[in-house]
CSV table of all heavy atoms in Angstrom, one decimal:
chain,number,residue,atom,x,y,z
A,155,VAL,N,-13.0,10.3,-2.1
A,155,VAL,CA,-13.6,9.4,-3.1
A,155,VAL,C,-15.1,9.6,-3.1
A,155,VAL,O,-15.7,9.5,-2.1
A,155,VAL,CB,-13.2,7.9,-2.8
A,155,VAL,CG1,-13.5,7.5,-1.4
A,155,VAL,CG2,-13.8,6.9,-3.8
A,157,LYS,N,-18.9,9.0,-3.2
A,157,LYS,CA,-19.7,7.8,-2.7
A,157,LYS,C,-21.2,8.0,-3.2
A,157,LYS,O,-21.6,9.2,-3.3
A,157,LYS,CB,-19.7,7.7,-1.2
A,157,LYS,CG,-18.3,7.4,-0.6
A,157,LYS,CD,-17.9,6.0,-0.8
A,157,LYS,CE,-16.5,5.8,-0.3
A,157,LYS,NZ,-16.0,4.4,-0.2
A,159,LYS,N,-19.7,4.3,-4.0
A,159,LYS,CA,-18.4,4.1,-4.7
A,159,LYS,C,-18.6,3.7,-6.2
A,159,LYS,O,-17.7,4.0,-7.0
A,159,LYS,CB,-17.5,3.1,-4.0
A,159,LYS,CG,-18.2,1.8,-3.6
A,159,LYS,CD,-17.2,0.8,-3.1
A,159,LYS,CE,-16.9,0.8,-1.7
A,159,LYS,NZ,-15.8,-0.1,-1.3
A,183,LYS,N,-10.4,11.0,-5.9
A,183,LYS,CA,-9.9,9.6,-6.0
A,183,LYS,C,-11.1,8.7,-6.5
A,183,LYS,O,-12.2,8.8,-6.0
A,183,LYS,CB,-9.4,9.1,-4.7
A,183,LYS,CG,-8.9,7.7,-4.7
A,183,LYS,CD,-8.4,7.2,-3.3
A,183,LYS,CE,-9.3,6.3,-2.6
A,183,LYS,NZ,-9.7,5.1,-3.4
A,185,ASP,N,-12.8,5.0,-6.6
A,185,ASP,CA,-12.8,3.9,-5.6
A,185,ASP,C,-12.2,2.7,-6.3
A,185,ASP,O,-12.1,2.6,-7.5
A,185,ASP,CB,-14.2,3.7,-5.0
A,185,ASP,CG,-14.0,3.6,-3.5
A,185,ASP,OD1,-13.0,3.1,-3.0
A,185,ASP,OD2,-15.0,3.9,-2.7
A,186,GLU,N,-12.0,1.7,-5.4
A,186,GLU,CA,-11.2,0.5,-6.0
A,186,GLU,C,-12.0,-0.3,-7.0
A,186,GLU,O,-11.4,-0.9,-7.9
A,186,GLU,CB,-10.8,-0.4,-4.8
A,186,GLU,CG,-11.9,-1.2,-4.1
A,186,GLU,CD,-12.8,-0.4,-3.1
A,186,GLU,OE1,-12.5,0.8,-2.9
A,186,GLU,OE2,-13.7,-1.0,-2.6
A,275,HIS,N,-4.0,1.4,-4.2
A,275,HIS,CA,-5.1,0.9,-3.3
A,275,HIS,C,-4.8,-0.5,-3.0
A,275,HIS,O,-4.3,-1.3,-3.8
A,275,HIS,CB,-6.4,1.1,-4.0
A,275,HIS,CG,-7.6,1.0,-3.1
A,275,HIS,ND1,-7.9,-0.2,-2.5
A,275,HIS,CD2,-8.5,1.9,-2.7
A,275,HIS,CE1,-9.0,0.1,-1.7
A,275,HIS,NE2,-9.3,1.3,-1.8
A,308,HIS,N,-2.1,2.8,0.8
A,308,HIS,CA,-3.0,2.8,2.0
A,308,HIS,C,-2.3,1.9,3.0
A,308,HIS,O,-2.0,0.8,2.8
A,308,HIS,CB,-4.4,2.3,1.6
A,308,HIS,CG,-5.1,3.1,0.7
A,308,HIS,ND1,-6.5,3.4,0.8
A,308,HIS,CD2,-4.8,3.8,-0.4
A,308,HIS,CE1,-6.9,4.2,-0.1
A,308,HIS,NE2,-5.9,4.4,-0.9
A,316,LYS,N,-12.7,2.7,9.9
A,316,LYS,CA,-13.6,1.5,9.9
A,316,LYS,C,-12.9,0.2,9.7
A,316,LYS,O,-13.6,-0.8,9.7
A,316,LYS,CB,-14.6,1.8,8.7
A,316,LYS,CG,-14.1,1.6,7.3
A,316,LYS,CD,-15.1,2.0,6.2
A,316,LYS,CE,-14.5,1.9,4.9
A,316,LYS,NZ,-15.4,2.4,3.8
A,344,SER,N,-7.0,5.9,5.2
A,344,SER,CA,-8.3,5.9,4.5
A,344,SER,C,-9.1,4.8,5.1
A,344,SER,O,-8.6,3.8,5.4
A,344,SER,CB,-8.1,5.7,3.0
A,344,SER,OG,-9.3,5.6,2.4
A,345,GLY,N,-10.4,5.1,5.1
A,345,GLY,CA,-11.4,4.1,5.6
A,345,GLY,C,-12.1,4.5,6.8
A,345,GLY,O,-11.6,4.3,7.9
A,346,GLY,N,-13.2,5.2,6.6
A,346,GLY,CA,-14.0,5.6,7.8
A,346,GLY,C,-13.5,6.8,8.5
A,346,GLY,O,-13.9,7.1,9.6
A,347,LEU,N,-12.7,7.7,7.9
A,347,LEU,CA,-12.2,8.9,8.5
A,347,LEU,C,-13.2,10.0,8.3
A,347,LEU,O,-13.9,10.1,7.3
A,347,LEU,CB,-10.9,9.3,7.9
A,347,LEU,CG,-9.7,8.3,8.2
A,347,LEU,CD1,-8.4,8.7,7.6
A,347,LEU,CD2,-9.5,8.1,9.7
A,366,GLN,N,-7.5,10.4,3.3
A,366,GLN,CA,-8.6,10.3,2.3
A,366,GLN,C,-9.9,10.1,3.1
A,366,GLN,O,-10.0,9.2,4.0
A,366,GLN,CB,-8.4,9.1,1.4
A,366,GLN,CG,-9.3,8.9,0.2
A,366,GLN,CD,-10.7,8.6,0.6
A,366,GLN,OE1,-11.7,9.3,0.1
A,366,GLN,NE2,-11.0,7.6,1.4
A,367,ALA,N,-10.9,10.9,2.8
A,367,ALA,CA,-12.3,10.7,3.4
A,367,ALA,C,-13.3,10.7,2.3
A,367,ALA,O,-13.4,11.6,1.6
A,367,ALA,CB,-12.5,11.8,4.4
A,368,GLY,N,-14.1,9.6,2.3
A,368,GLY,CA,-15.2,9.5,1.4
A,368,GLY,C,-16.5,9.9,2.1
A,368,GLY,O,-17.0,11.0,2.1
A,369,GLY,N,-17.0,8.9,2.8
A,369,GLY,CA,-18.3,9.1,3.6
A,369,GLY,C,-18.1,10.3,4.6
A,369,GLY,O,-19.1,11.0,4.8
B,501,LIG,C1,-11.1,3.7,0.2
B,501,LIG,O1,-10.8,3.8,-1.0
B,501,LIG,O2,-10.2,3.6,1.1
B,501,LIG,C2,-12.5,3.7,0.7
B,501,LIG,O3,-13.4,3.7,-0.3
B,501,LIG,C3,-12.7,4.8,1.8
B,501,LIG,O4,-14.0,5.2,1.9
B,501,LIG,P1,-14.6,6.0,3.2
B,501,LIG,O5,-13.7,7.2,3.4
B,501,LIG,O6,-16.0,6.3,2.8
B,501,LIG,O7,-14.5,5.0,4.3
Side-chain angles (χ1 to χ4, degrees):
V155 53
K157 298 282 174 171
K159 51 169 90 185
K183 182 179 104 50
D185 227 331
E186 72 281 0
H275 196 291
H308 293 223
K316 69 185 180 188
S344 174
L347 295 177
Q366 190 295 129

